[in-house]
Amino acid sequence: MTTLDHGKYFTSLPREYYVSPEHFKTELDQVWARQWVYVGHISQIPKRGDYFTFELANESLLLIRDEGDKVNAVHNVCRHRALRLCDKPTGSVRKRLVCPYHSWSYALDGELKTATRQTDGENFDYSDFGLYKVHVDVWKGFIFVCLADEAPKPVASMIDEKSSADMDLIGPTRLKVAHEIVYDAEANWKLLLENGVECYHCPSVHPEFCVVLNAEEMSDYYDRDMVPEVVQGLVIPVKAELDSLSMDGSFVSKKLLGEFDKGVAIPAEFGAGFMTQPGYAWGGFHPDYGMVATTIPISATRTKMLCQWFVHEDAVEGVDYDVEELIKIWDVTNIQDLAIQERQQQGLSSSRYTPGPNSIDQEPGIRASLRLYLDMIGELEDSER
Amino acid sequence: MTTLDHGKYFTSLPREYYVSPEHFKTELDQVWARQWVYVGHISQIPKRGDYFTFELANESLLLIRDEGDKVNAVHNVCRHRALRLCDKPTGSVRKRLVCPYHSWSYALDGELKTATRQTDGENFDYSDFGLYKVHVDVWKGFIFVCLADEAPKPVASMIDEKSSADMDLIGPTRLKVAHEIVYDAEANWKLLLENGVECYHCPSVHPEFCVVLNAEEMSDYYDRDMVPEVVQGLVIPVKAELDSLSMDGSFVSKKLLGEFDKGVAIPAEFGAGFMTQPGYAWGGFHPDYGMVATTIPISATRTKMLCQWFVHEDAVEGVDYDVEELIKIWDVTNIQDLAIQERQQQGLSSSRYTPGPNSIDQEPGIRASLRLYLDMIGELEDSER
Amino acid sequence: MTTLDHGKYFTSLPREYYVSPEHFKTELDQVWARQWVYVGHISQIPKRGDYFTFELANESLLLIRDEGDKVNAVHNVCRHRALRLCDKPTGSVRKRLVCPYHSWSYALDGELKTATRQTDGENFDYSDFGLYKVHVDVWKGFIFVCLADEAPKPVASMIDEKSSADMDLIGPTRLKVAHEIVYDAEANWKLLLENGVECYHCPSVHPEFCVVLNAEEMSDYYDRDMVPEVVQGLVIPVKAELDSLSMDGSFVSKKLLGEFDKGVAIPAEFGAGFMTQPGYAWGGFHPDYGMVATTIPISATRTKMLCQWFVHEDAVEGVDYDVEELIKIWDVTNIQDLAIQERQQQGLSSSRYTPGPNSIDQEPGIRASLRLYLDMIGELEDSER
């Protein structure tokens, strides 16, 4: 008997893991601050000096495009008196980041260039007061950050060859974000993770999704005893006879992605994508479009989910695609899921909640993901390994 | 000198009892979870499968009508992954409660009937995963629950013969809820209790109520040293020359209740009702209508109060009674009280608040109720018994 | 190396001081409850029985005009059952403060006069249950309170002769409040203090203010090693060629203040005022008008700021002054400052915030004010004295 294993069945976690601010703090430090977290795509910052911000619990990060393909990631906190340097979600600077409080300025890599009316070296050295850096890894245009002192191994090294080759087919660096939604749920972020790694709930919760989903392929995605990578490839399988993951299974963008736009034949049951866990993000690409969702923990009982819909960088809105049609299947599905997670959070708060038996056949992904989670917070018991 | 007794005078409680989340948690466990709590009336769930929910701090309870007069009370939490099963305040199911997440289903008494695609006994026994039950007691149509493992003695056994006989006169099982209001106050629930057991404030706060109230009978309702029952009878006395508790003392429903509708003479100064304490509810019935109010603790500094107005089950709105007229005297009075309790909560938060001397003649009920409260949380000193 | 001093440079405080509820509680007790706090002006309560309330964290204070010039300050909490006696920001009573709950009544100095239907001395002595008093000091019409048991030395004794004489010139008891704004900022109160004692930020943040401000005089207002008084004189310096602190430097009230209205020549670079710290208030008067701002701590991360604009008591709105014009320069400046402090609070919440080097030449006031603050909470190290 361990946290997860109870004789013949396994469960999710006890209540405190989903409601306690102390557990949440531990998770920020031991999970979210140590793994690669998906934050956005290179196409969002095409030119030098372009930036976007990403908020993760109390942290505000600044992603800045530098020379060529280089992307810098720094803490969005002035080293003088702590001002949040950039308070818009996206923008562009010329050569310097300038603090609005006392006009201290920083280079695009965070180096302190001017402390107003104070000479470098007189009372302190400029070199000691650059912006705090964050590890950044750009994999095929997808930007990941890690808040830890030591970066994990590169994203590319975690993803298998097949997933990598499939992703190359959709031209991952030649995408654009056609639409973005930030959902807000009164639920612990792990409920979104657990929901995402099982499709046992699909028939009850997602009638529209089930019209196009190849649920059988989904259900054996996980093995109960697998040890997942933090980042890995992902295919969200569509029924063999359909073209794309849309309300009716047809394409929602006429301009196909990457090689398919150039006439390369679409492989049978094609799909590309990636996922991260325990800090949970997932991206699924079909021949015409893709969607990436990243969960953002706000507190023990509140989570945001940023969803981005991608099309070919040259696709034209109103001509090649219609936003409403493009986003519909995932928007409907996300709203259904988050409503469930909010009701689950309410139920969990009951003093009489006890973790119940999960299905060994239908929900093995939960055990796999929660073992990874427990391992990262130092609570995996030997018998669970 | 004890918490309540200070030589010749007695006081209410120190500040922490009204503001501290820790005290609040203790109270939920030691008071609210151990006593009978009034939650509603049998007429709200007339048919098999009808249900209503009742929220008490973090708990959501499900009250379900079963065969005949039977009422089941269960925790509204799926045993699989904790979903709040029913998220509407009221509704009706056929034979089963079905969880919207993975379609697990339960019988009306909470027994697990189907764990989707999982055979009973294979990895777990269905019989181990029924909904958690809650004690329920229906006294003359009024439904009470208790969250404790062991139920207290039956409600009927706590109420004296006279109160029981008077209640029978108004036909307590043949009522209907004509109107319901949920008030919300930024105040600790015990301030509502203390206010309810004294009428010292009536002349200052309730000019309309005092027109019809027989205040003298009210003031000697309590003895300073009485030991109250958790549930007991209650009469809210109206002046002898008046018919009912209404703005002008006349009937507000033409269809009289119970025996009076059948022509039985109304006894002099008739009134029926009950109250619970420390977790506070009170109900007062006159020959034509009644009102039941139940306080619902939300946090140390916030309380809801559910008020239900009852008329004869065959009374017709617009013909026999007008809702505005029916509810007016209590609605006016409740709003006055809750405004006072909010100002009291604000005052209590001052660092300089110290409990002041309560009136021995006018406020004896406060001492009686608070002794019961202190006894339940294990803090009554021997000298206070 | 101390909290503030790091070799050649000094810093502001570590994060916990700006975000922790525990630190906030300590500050209320050790700083705000021990110093003189500016609460308002005698002109707000011209007649006997006039009162206004002042809320400071959880405390509600009642300032009441008594006979002649006398002002009483008491806790706005009934000694019977803790009701907030007066819940309007301002009002007037005849001879008694009467509690709305049970009609207990108090004299204007807080003495208990009637405990309804309870004889003095029977179960308790009226003299033991007067309203709790608060120290009050009226300096030239400006009202200060202190919550401590022992009052600090009088306000007058802390202010130098020149400041006192300059204040007399503007007729400080013959003012009226022409307008009042309560600003609300999601920021710790000390960020407002630190901002107020440096003008290093003025060029970046306050373009309008800098048109009229004599910034050079501002910058040497403080010496890095000074030990400030809790209350002291203050001049907000306007450029020599201008008349007043307004958008264009001209007068915004035609009716000049005090002696200037009687024809007395305005001294070169005239200004009068006062400030309090660490609990931060400041008032600046020019020949035609003045502004007093007082910060009101609400929680560790929230602060209100009450601003009052004063003109001559006989000035007529629409004739002598226009409210919009009168308040504009300070309103613009306050809004700019508070937006900065909110962004600073956001930045401070980052786990990677570390206090940065403050400018020895441009921000010496921060060190002076924070030393006073640390001294009051008992954390000033000997090497910082």
Side-chain angles (χ1 to χ4, degrees), chain B residues 8 195 198 200 204 343 347 350-352 354 362-363, chain C residues 59 79-82 84-85 101-103 116-117 122 132:
Chain B
K8 286 201 286 185
N195 182 73
E198 56 96 346
Y200 186 32
S204 309
R343 279 175 76 163
S350 162
S351 66
R352 291 304 296 269
T354 48
Q362 310 281 331
E363 296 169 297
Chain C
E59 312 300 333
R79 290 296 306 277
H80 174 217
R81 276 169 60 200
R84 183 158 288 192
L85 284 173
Y101 202 177
H102 304 88
S103 298
T116 311
R117 280 174 264 156
E122 188 175 351
Y132 286 113

PDB file of all heavy atoms in Angstrom, chain B residues 8 195 198 200 204 343 347 350-352 354 362-363, chain C residues 59 79-82 84-85 101-103 116-117 122 132:
ATOM      1  N   LYS B   8     -19.959  39.592  38.652  1.00  0.00           N
ATOM      2  CA  LYS B   8     -21.409  39.787  38.631  1.00  0.00           C
ATOM      3  C   LYS B   8     -22.019  39.770  37.232  1.00  0.00           C
ATOM      4  O   LYS B   8     -23.226  39.671  37.080  1.00  0.00           O
ATOM      5  CB  LYS B   8     -21.776  41.095  39.358  1.00  0.00           C
ATOM      6  CG  LYS B   8     -21.656  40.967  40.886  1.00  0.00           C
ATOM      7  CD  LYS B   8     -22.470  42.031  41.596  1.00  0.00           C
ATOM      8  CE  LYS B   8     -21.800  43.394  41.482  1.00  0.00           C
ATOM      9  NZ  LYS B   8     -22.511  44.411  42.259  1.00  0.00           N
ATOM     10  N   ASN B 195     -27.728  36.906  18.552  1.00  0.00           N
ATOM     11  CA  ASN B 195     -28.790  37.864  18.251  1.00  0.00           C
ATOM     12  C   ASN B 195     -30.162  37.198  18.364  1.00  0.00           C
ATOM     13  O   ASN B 195     -31.133  37.803  18.822  1.00  0.00           O
ATOM     14  CB  ASN B 195     -28.586  38.390  16.834  1.00  0.00           C
ATOM     15  CG  ASN B 195     -29.610  39.431  16.436  1.00  0.00           C
ATOM     16  OD1 ASN B 195     -29.552  40.558  16.913  1.00  0.00           O
ATOM     17  ND2 ASN B 195     -30.545  39.053  15.584  1.00  0.00           N
ATOM     18  N   GLU B 198     -31.873  36.675  22.074  1.00  0.00           N
ATOM     19  CA  GLU B 198     -32.231  37.793  22.954  1.00  0.00           C
ATOM     20  C   GLU B 198     -33.116  38.758  22.172  1.00  0.00           C
ATOM     21  O   GLU B 198     -33.006  38.851  20.956  1.00  0.00           O
ATOM     22  CB  GLU B 198     -30.980  38.507  23.497  1.00  0.00           C
ATOM     23  CG  GLU B 198     -30.008  39.028  22.471  1.00  0.00           C
ATOM     24  CD  GLU B 198     -30.167  40.506  22.107  1.00  0.00           C
ATOM     25  OE1 GLU B 198     -31.196  41.100  22.452  1.00  0.00           O
ATOM     26  OE2 GLU B 198     -29.264  41.019  21.438  1.00  0.00           O
ATOM     27  N   TYR B 200     -33.453  41.915  23.535  1.00  0.00           N
ATOM     28  CA  TYR B 200     -33.021  43.195  24.117  1.00  0.00           C
ATOM     29  C   TYR B 200     -32.848  44.233  23.008  1.00  0.00           C
ATOM     30  O   TYR B 200     -33.044  45.428  23.211  1.00  0.00           O
ATOM     31  CB  TYR B 200     -31.680  42.925  24.825  1.00  0.00           C
ATOM     32  CG  TYR B 200     -31.036  44.012  25.642  1.00  0.00           C
ATOM     33  CD1 TYR B 200     -31.774  44.969  26.342  1.00  0.00           C
ATOM     34  CD2 TYR B 200     -29.636  44.046  25.770  1.00  0.00           C
ATOM     35  CE1 TYR B 200     -31.135  45.937  27.120  1.00  0.00           C
ATOM     36  CE2 TYR B 200     -28.993  44.990  26.540  1.00  0.00           C
ATOM     37  CZ  TYR B 200     -29.742  45.945  27.208  1.00  0.00           C
ATOM     38  OH  TYR B 200     -29.098  46.892  27.979  1.00  0.00           O
ATOM     39  N   SER B 204     -34.688  48.745  19.543  1.00  0.00           N
ATOM     40  CA  SER B 204     -33.796  49.607  18.762  1.00  0.00           C
ATOM     41  C   SER B 204     -33.788  49.245  17.287  1.00  0.00           C
ATOM     42  O   SER B 204     -33.694  50.112  16.428  1.00  0.00           O
ATOM     43  CB  SER B 204     -32.353  49.501  19.279  1.00  0.00           C
ATOM     44  OG  SER B 204     -32.279  49.691  20.658  1.00  0.00           O
ATOM     45  N   ARG B 343     -22.016  44.990  11.149  1.00  0.00           N
ATOM     46  CA  ARG B 343     -21.350  46.082  11.887  1.00  0.00           C
ATOM     47  C   ARG B 343     -20.672  45.551  13.144  1.00  0.00           C
ATOM     48  O   ARG B 343     -19.659  46.079  13.587  1.00  0.00           O
ATOM     49  CB  ARG B 343     -22.360  47.159  12.270  1.00  0.00           C
ATOM     50  CG  ARG B 343     -22.658  48.102  11.129  1.00  0.00           C
ATOM     51  CD  ARG B 343     -23.735  49.082  11.488  1.00  0.00           C
ATOM     52  NE  ARG B 343     -23.251  50.131  12.375  1.00  0.00           N
ATOM     53  CZ  ARG B 343     -23.900  51.272  12.565  1.00  0.00           C
ATOM     54  NH1 ARG B 343     -25.026  51.514  11.913  1.00  0.00           N
ATOM     55  NH2 ARG B 343     -23.439  52.188  13.395  1.00  0.00           N
ATOM     56  N   GLY B 347     -16.719  45.711  14.187  1.00  0.00           N
ATOM     57  CA  GLY B 347     -16.251  46.198  15.485  1.00  0.00           C
ATOM     58  C   GLY B 347     -15.378  45.174  16.198  1.00  0.00           C
ATOM     59  O   GLY B 347     -14.337  45.502  16.758  1.00  0.00           O
ATOM     60  N   SER B 350     -11.576  44.957  15.659  1.00  0.00           N
ATOM     61  CA  SER B 350     -10.671  45.920  16.287  1.00  0.00           C
ATOM     62  C   SER B 350      -9.785  45.232  17.310  1.00  0.00           C
ATOM     63  O   SER B 350     -10.226  44.354  18.051  1.00  0.00           O
ATOM     64  CB  SER B 350     -11.488  46.999  16.999  1.00  0.00           C
ATOM     65  OG  SER B 350     -10.684  47.687  17.932  1.00  0.00           O
ATOM     66  N   SER B 351      -8.531  45.642  17.363  1.00  0.00           N
ATOM     67  CA  SER B 351      -7.609  45.059  18.338  1.00  0.00           C
ATOM     68  C   SER B 351      -8.038  45.408  19.757  1.00  0.00           C
ATOM     69  O   SER B 351      -7.614  44.772  20.706  1.00  0.00           O
ATOM     70  CB  SER B 351      -6.192  45.574  18.097  1.00  0.00           C
ATOM     71  OG  SER B 351      -6.145  46.958  18.359  1.00  0.00           O
ATOM     72  N   ARG B 352      -8.869  46.436  19.906  1.00  0.00           N
ATOM     73  CA  ARG B 352      -9.268  46.852  21.248  1.00  0.00           C
ATOM     74  C   ARG B 352     -10.610  46.282  21.673  1.00  0.00           C
ATOM     75  O   ARG B 352     -11.118  46.635  22.725  1.00  0.00           O
ATOM     76  CB  ARG B 352      -9.301  48.386  21.336  1.00  0.00           C
ATOM     77  CG  ARG B 352      -7.940  49.018  21.254  1.00  0.00           C
ATOM     78  CD  ARG B 352      -6.992  48.466  22.331  1.00  0.00           C
ATOM     79  NE  ARG B 352      -7.404  48.757  23.675  1.00  0.00           N
ATOM     80  CZ  ARG B 352      -7.029  49.818  24.360  1.00  0.00           C
ATOM     81  NH1 ARG B 352      -6.185  50.667  23.825  1.00  0.00           N
ATOM     82  NH2 ARG B 352      -7.456  50.027  25.585  1.00  0.00           N
ATOM     83  N   THR B 354     -13.004  44.132  23.550  1.00  0.00           N
ATOM     84  CA  THR B 354     -13.043  43.200  24.683  1.00  0.00           C
ATOM     85  C   THR B 354     -14.509  42.874  24.915  1.00  0.00           C
ATOM     86  O   THR B 354     -15.362  43.737  24.738  1.00  0.00           O
ATOM     87  CB  THR B 354     -12.454  43.829  25.964  1.00  0.00           C
ATOM     88  OG1 THR B 354     -13.023  45.135  26.133  1.00  0.00           O
ATOM     89  CG2 THR B 354     -10.942  43.958  25.866  1.00  0.00           C
ATOM     90  N   GLN B 362     -31.968  40.658  30.315  1.00  0.00           N
ATOM     91  CA  GLN B 362     -32.411  40.788  28.936  1.00  0.00           C
ATOM     92  C   GLN B 362     -31.708  39.832  27.971  1.00  0.00           C
ATOM     93  O   GLN B 362     -32.159  39.636  26.862  1.00  0.00           O
ATOM     94  CB  GLN B 362     -32.164  42.234  28.449  1.00  0.00           C
ATOM     95  CG  GLN B 362     -32.694  43.302  29.378  1.00  0.00           C
ATOM     96  CD  GLN B 362     -34.195  43.475  29.210  1.00  0.00           C
ATOM     97  OE1 GLN B 362     -34.729  43.252  28.139  1.00  0.00           O
ATOM     98  NE2 GLN B 362     -34.872  43.864  30.286  1.00  0.00           N
ATOM     99  N   GLU B 363     -30.535  39.338  28.358  1.00  0.00           N
ATOM    100  CA  GLU B 363     -29.756  38.523  27.419  1.00  0.00           C
ATOM    101  C   GLU B 363     -29.331  37.179  28.002  1.00  0.00           C
ATOM    102  O   GLU B 363     -28.266  36.672  27.667  1.00  0.00           O
ATOM    103  CB  GLU B 363     -28.495  39.310  26.988  1.00  0.00           C
ATOM    104  CG  GLU B 363     -28.813  40.586  26.226  1.00  0.00           C
ATOM    105  CD  GLU B 363     -27.595  41.485  26.043  1.00  0.00           C
ATOM    106  OE1 GLU B 363     -27.067  41.947  27.090  1.00  0.00           O
ATOM    107  OE2 GLU B 363     -27.175  41.708  24.900  1.00  0.00           O
TER     108      GLU B 363
ATOM    109  N   GLU C  59      -8.647  48.796  12.571  1.00  0.00           N
ATOM    110  CA  GLU C  59      -9.185  49.731  13.558  1.00  0.00           C
ATOM    111  C   GLU C  59     -10.079  50.765  12.887  1.00  0.00           C
ATOM    112  O   GLU C  59      -9.776  51.255  11.815  1.00  0.00           O
ATOM    113  CB  GLU C  59      -8.041  50.491  14.248  1.00  0.00           C
ATOM    114  CG  GLU C  59      -6.904  49.645  14.733  1.00  0.00           C
ATOM    115  CD  GLU C  59      -7.312  48.598  15.760  1.00  0.00           C
ATOM    116  OE1 GLU C  59      -8.306  48.815  16.464  1.00  0.00           O
ATOM    117  OE2 GLU C  59      -6.646  47.557  15.845  1.00  0.00           O
ATOM    118  N   ARG C  79     -18.848  49.149  23.758  1.00  0.00           N
ATOM    119  CA  ARG C  79     -18.275  48.304  24.789  1.00  0.00           C
ATOM    120  C   ARG C  79     -19.203  47.152  25.200  1.00  0.00           C
ATOM    121  O   ARG C  79     -18.799  46.271  25.960  1.00  0.00           O
ATOM    122  CB  ARG C  79     -17.901  49.150  26.026  1.00  0.00           C
ATOM    123  CG  ARG C  79     -16.719  50.085  25.794  1.00  0.00           C
ATOM    124  CD  ARG C  79     -15.426  49.336  25.518  1.00  0.00           C
ATOM    125  NE  ARG C  79     -15.115  48.355  26.536  1.00  0.00           N
ATOM    126  CZ  ARG C  79     -14.515  48.637  27.690  1.00  0.00           C
ATOM    127  NH1 ARG C  79     -14.145  49.864  27.969  1.00  0.00           N
ATOM    128  NH2 ARG C  79     -14.256  47.678  28.556  1.00  0.00           N
ATOM    129  N   HIS C  80     -20.446  47.149  24.718  1.00  0.00           N
ATOM    130  CA  HIS C  80     -21.368  46.077  25.062  1.00  0.00           C
ATOM    131  C   HIS C  80     -21.125  44.875  24.128  1.00  0.00           C
ATOM    132  O   HIS C  80     -20.457  43.928  24.525  1.00  0.00           O
ATOM    133  CB  HIS C  80     -22.815  46.595  24.947  1.00  0.00           C
ATOM    134  CG  HIS C  80     -23.885  45.563  25.125  1.00  0.00           C
ATOM    135  ND1 HIS C  80     -25.052  45.595  24.389  1.00  0.00           N
ATOM    136  CD2 HIS C  80     -23.966  44.476  25.935  1.00  0.00           C
ATOM    137  CE1 HIS C  80     -25.816  44.570  24.760  1.00  0.00           C
ATOM    138  NE2 HIS C  80     -25.184  43.877  25.695  1.00  0.00           N
ATOM    139  N   ARG C  81     -21.523  44.973  22.876  1.00  0.00           N
ATOM    140  CA  ARG C  81     -21.328  43.837  21.982  1.00  0.00           C
ATOM    141  C   ARG C  81     -20.636  44.211  20.685  1.00  0.00           C
ATOM    142  O   ARG C  81     -20.884  43.646  19.645  1.00  0.00           O
ATOM    143  CB  ARG C  81     -22.630  43.057  21.780  1.00  0.00           C
ATOM    144  CG  ARG C  81     -22.797  42.051  22.948  1.00  0.00           C
ATOM    145  CD  ARG C  81     -24.123  41.393  23.040  1.00  0.00           C
ATOM    146  NE  ARG C  81     -24.476  40.642  21.882  1.00  0.00           N
ATOM    147  CZ  ARG C  81     -25.745  40.303  21.582  1.00  0.00           C
ATOM    148  NH1 ARG C  81     -26.733  40.678  22.374  1.00  0.00           N
ATOM    149  NH2 ARG C  81     -26.004  39.605  20.512  1.00  0.00           N
ATOM    150  N   ALA C  82     -19.734  45.211  20.808  1.00  0.00           N
ATOM    151  CA  ALA C  82     -18.713  45.468  19.777  1.00  0.00           C
ATOM    152  C   ALA C  82     -19.205  46.116  18.501  1.00  0.00           C
ATOM    153  O   ALA C  82     -18.460  46.195  17.519  1.00  0.00           O
ATOM    154  CB  ALA C  82     -17.960  44.186  19.439  1.00  0.00           C
ATOM    155  N   ARG C  84     -19.757  48.525  15.565  1.00  0.00           N
ATOM    156  CA  ARG C  84     -19.172  49.753  15.038  1.00  0.00           C
ATOM    157  C   ARG C  84     -20.238  50.835  15.227  1.00  0.00           C
ATOM    158  O   ARG C  84     -21.304  50.779  14.609  1.00  0.00           O
ATOM    159  CB  ARG C  84     -18.838  49.556  13.561  1.00  0.00           C
ATOM    160  CG  ARG C  84     -18.159  50.739  12.954  1.00  0.00           C
ATOM    161  CD  ARG C  84     -17.379  50.372  11.735  1.00  0.00           C
ATOM    162  NE  ARG C  84     -16.179  49.613  12.067  1.00  0.00           N
ATOM    163  CZ  ARG C  84     -15.202  49.368  11.207  1.00  0.00           C
ATOM    164  NH1 ARG C  84     -15.283  49.805   9.974  1.00  0.00           N
ATOM    165  NH2 ARG C  84     -14.130  48.695  11.584  1.00  0.00           N
ATOM    166  N   LEU C  85     -19.958  51.786  16.104  1.00  0.00           N
ATOM    167  CA  LEU C  85     -20.992  52.748  16.488  1.00  0.00           C
ATOM    168  C   LEU C  85     -21.464  53.593  15.313  1.00  0.00           C
ATOM    169  O   LEU C  85     -22.652  53.699  15.060  1.00  0.00           O
ATOM    170  CB  LEU C  85     -20.447  53.679  17.577  1.00  0.00           C
ATOM    171  CG  LEU C  85     -20.359  53.098  18.972  1.00  0.00           C
ATOM    172  CD1 LEU C  85     -19.641  54.083  19.885  1.00  0.00           C
ATOM    173  CD2 LEU C  85     -21.765  52.834  19.517  1.00  0.00           C
ATOM    174  N   TYR C 101     -27.578  49.071  18.221  1.00  0.00           N
ATOM    175  CA  TYR C 101     -27.972  47.691  18.547  1.00  0.00           C
ATOM    176  C   TYR C 101     -28.911  47.658  19.751  1.00  0.00           C
ATOM    177  O   TYR C 101     -30.046  47.188  19.660  1.00  0.00           O
ATOM    178  CB  TYR C 101     -26.723  46.847  18.788  1.00  0.00           C
ATOM    179  CG  TYR C 101     -26.909  45.337  18.608  1.00  0.00           C
ATOM    180  CD1 TYR C 101     -25.825  44.474  18.748  1.00  0.00           C
ATOM    181  CD2 TYR C 101     -28.135  44.778  18.298  1.00  0.00           C
ATOM    182  CE1 TYR C 101     -25.964  43.094  18.580  1.00  0.00           C
ATOM    183  CE2 TYR C 101     -28.292  43.402  18.136  1.00  0.00           C
ATOM    184  CZ  TYR C 101     -27.215  42.564  18.281  1.00  0.00           C
ATOM    185  OH  TYR C 101     -27.353  41.206  18.121  1.00  0.00           O
ATOM    186  N   HIS C 102     -28.420  48.140  20.923  1.00  0.00           N
ATOM    187  CA  HIS C 102     -29.259  48.105  22.125  1.00  0.00           C
ATOM    188  C   HIS C 102     -29.392  49.475  22.767  1.00  0.00           C
ATOM    189  O   HIS C 102     -29.740  49.584  23.943  1.00  0.00           O
ATOM    190  CB  HIS C 102     -28.680  47.114  23.149  1.00  0.00           C
ATOM    191  CG  HIS C 102     -28.492  45.729  22.611  1.00  0.00           C
ATOM    192  ND1 HIS C 102     -27.329  45.352  21.977  1.00  0.00           N
ATOM    193  CD2 HIS C 102     -29.306  44.643  22.589  1.00  0.00           C
ATOM    194  CE1 HIS C 102     -27.432  44.073  21.602  1.00  0.00           C
ATOM    195  NE2 HIS C 102     -28.619  43.620  21.950  1.00  0.00           N
ATOM    196  N   SER C 103     -29.040  50.521  21.990  1.00  0.00           N
ATOM    197  CA  SER C 103     -29.222  51.904  22.428  1.00  0.00           C
ATOM    198  C   SER C 103     -28.382  52.316  23.635  1.00  0.00           C
ATOM    199  O   SER C 103     -28.754  53.254  24.344  1.00  0.00           O
ATOM    200  CB  SER C 103     -30.714  52.199  22.684  1.00  0.00           C
ATOM    201  OG  SER C 103     -31.449  52.044  21.496  1.00  0.00           O
ATOM    202  N   THR C 116     -28.807  50.478  28.502  1.00  0.00           N
ATOM    203  CA  THR C 116     -30.275  50.372  28.505  1.00  0.00           C
ATOM    204  C   THR C 116     -30.802  49.396  29.564  1.00  0.00           C
ATOM    205  O   THR C 116     -30.379  48.239  29.615  1.00  0.00           O
ATOM    206  CB  THR C 116     -30.742  49.932  27.101  1.00  0.00           C
ATOM    207  OG1 THR C 116     -30.095  50.768  26.142  1.00  0.00           O
ATOM    208  CG2 THR C 116     -32.247  50.023  26.954  1.00  0.00           C
ATOM    209  N   ARG C 117     -31.718  49.896  30.369  1.00  0.00           N
ATOM    210  CA  ARG C 117     -32.388  49.094  31.404  1.00  0.00           C
ATOM    211  C   ARG C 117     -31.422  48.389  32.368  1.00  0.00           C
ATOM    212  O   ARG C 117     -31.728  47.322  32.886  1.00  0.00           O
ATOM    213  CB  ARG C 117     -33.324  48.064  30.751  1.00  0.00           C
ATOM    214  CG  ARG C 117     -34.652  48.688  30.321  1.00  0.00           C
ATOM    215  CD  ARG C 117     -35.519  47.713  29.551  1.00  0.00           C
ATOM    216  NE  ARG C 117     -35.333  47.894  28.125  1.00  0.00           N
ATOM    217  CZ  ARG C 117     -35.556  46.960  27.219  1.00  0.00           C
ATOM    218  NH1 ARG C 117     -35.954  45.747  27.583  1.00  0.00           N
ATOM    219  NH2 ARG C 117     -35.360  47.214  25.941  1.00  0.00           N
ATOM    220  N   GLU C 122     -25.013  48.175  39.473  1.00  0.00           N
ATOM    221  CA  GLU C 122     -25.715  46.967  39.926  1.00  0.00           C
ATOM    222  C   GLU C 122     -24.912  45.706  39.568  1.00  0.00           C
ATOM    223  O   GLU C 122     -24.437  44.994  40.449  1.00  0.00           O
ATOM    224  CB  GLU C 122     -27.102  46.891  39.303  1.00  0.00           C
ATOM    225  CG  GLU C 122     -27.929  45.761  39.910  1.00  0.00           C
ATOM    226  CD  GLU C 122     -29.360  45.746  39.390  1.00  0.00           C
ATOM    227  OE1 GLU C 122     -29.748  46.712  38.703  1.00  0.00           O
ATOM    228  OE2 GLU C 122     -30.077  44.767  39.662  1.00  0.00           O
ATOM    229  N   TYR C 132     -12.993  53.095  24.398  1.00  0.00           N
ATOM    230  CA  TYR C 132     -11.539  53.149  24.510  1.00  0.00           C
ATOM    231  C   TYR C 132     -11.015  54.421  23.850  1.00  0.00           C
ATOM    232  O   TYR C 132     -11.376  54.725  22.708  1.00  0.00           O
ATOM    233  CB  TYR C 132     -10.915  51.919  23.845  1.00  0.00           C
ATOM    234  CG  TYR C 132     -11.085  50.649  24.638  1.00  0.00           C
ATOM    235  CD1 TYR C 132     -11.883  49.612  24.173  1.00  0.00           C
ATOM    236  CD2 TYR C 132     -10.435  50.488  25.875  1.00  0.00           C
ATOM    237  CE1 TYR C 132     -12.040  48.441  24.904  1.00  0.00           C
ATOM    238  CE2 TYR C 132     -10.590  49.313  26.602  1.00  0.00           C
ATOM    239  CZ  TYR C 132     -11.392  48.294  26.122  1.00  0.00           C
ATOM    240  OH  TYR C 132     -11.546  47.144  26.844  1.00  0.00           O
TER     241      TYR C 132
END
